[in-house]
Amino acid sequence: MSNTPHELAEEFPDKVKAMSALKQSDAHFAKLADEYHELNRAVHRAETKVEPLEELAEVDLRKKRAALKDEIWGILSKA
């Protein structure tokens, strides 16, 4: 398991400007980005044992993060 945070800017480096613009102009995108950031931090805290979770709870957080990332990519790919 990787302990590296999966920040959106690192996941989609060629879409940083588009993400910034969408955060300003699209409330739904801004909400998704905020949710992703919160989940990403929770996963990172669990992986680094700062706030350990049971394995299934950690896996569930990762799945939610992946689903948000997919939804964010869906929006970015059309921007």
Side-chain angles (χ1 to χ4, degrees):
M1 236 17 87
S2 170
N3 291 340
T4 306
H6 296 265
E7 300 296 335
L8 287 173
E10 294 167 354
E11 295 291 320
F12 308 118
D14 58 327
K15 298 290 188 179
V16 171
K17 287 183 182 180
M19 284 189 286
S20 180
L22 282 166
K23 285 180 189 177
Q24 300 288 325
S25 66
D26 184 334
H28 178 67
F29 183 86
K31 182 178 180 244
L32 291 175
D34 287 344
E35 287 178 22
Y36 179 90
H37 181 71
E38 288 179 32
L39 269 174
N40 189 46
R41 289 288 163 207
V43 169
H44 183 64
R45 287 190 305 270
E47 288 176 344
T48 57
K49 306 300 183 212
V50 171
E51 293 178 17
L53 295 173
E54 291 184 11
E55 185 177 348
L56 289 177
E58 193 174 326
V59 168
D60 186 50
L61 284 179
R62 279 196 211 99
K63 287 179 182 179
K64 289 177 182 176
R65 179 179 66 182
L68 274 173
K69 182 178 163 187
D70 289 345
E71 189 172 351
I72 289 167
W73 173 247
I75 295 168
L76 287 173
S77 65
K78 296 174 186 170

